[in-house]
Amino acid sequence: MKIAIACDHAGFMLKDDVLEAIEQTGNEVLDLGTYNQEPVDYPDYAEKAGRAIVQNQADRAIILCGSGAGASIAANKIK
């Protein structure tokens, strides 16, 4: 299974741990960013994760942000 992961700057510190856990289960990772702690807008990364599912680039997606609320709302707007 291919799992996309995307995060904003607030979720960046957790990303490496999540990537490692995904890979340990034998799944493939599609890393959609962000790649550092510089401030970014979470909706941009939530959209990347949602689009990866719609475009069949990934089977599932994980989004990491400060609270999880805004990113989940943004991702769920993608049909």
Side-chain angles (χ1 to χ4, degrees):
M1 180 182 306
K2 187 180 252 186
I3 301 173
I5 185 166
C7 67
D8 70 355
H9 58 282
F12 179 75
M13 290 178 42
L14 290 174
K15 189 168 99 169
D16 284 340
D17 292 335
V18 175
L19 286 171
E20 185 179 322
I22 294 168
E23 290 171 344
Q24 286 179 353
T25 62
N27 292 296
E28 186 179 350
V29 174
L30 174 61
D31 187 348
L32 301 173
T34 190
Y35 305 106
N36 56 50
Q37 288 183 304
E38 291 181 31
V40 296
D41 294 327
Y42 69 83
D44 296 338
Y45 291 89
E47 181 179 15
K48 286 182 181 191
R51 298 264 179 240
I53 300 294
V54 171
Q55 296 170 353
N56 294 318
Q57 296 172 332
D59 301 300
R60 301 281 189 273
I62 297 171
I63 306 168
L64 304 170
C65 73
S67 70
S72 64
I73 291 169
N76 283 325
K77 289 186 177 190
I78 298 170
K79 295 184 188 244

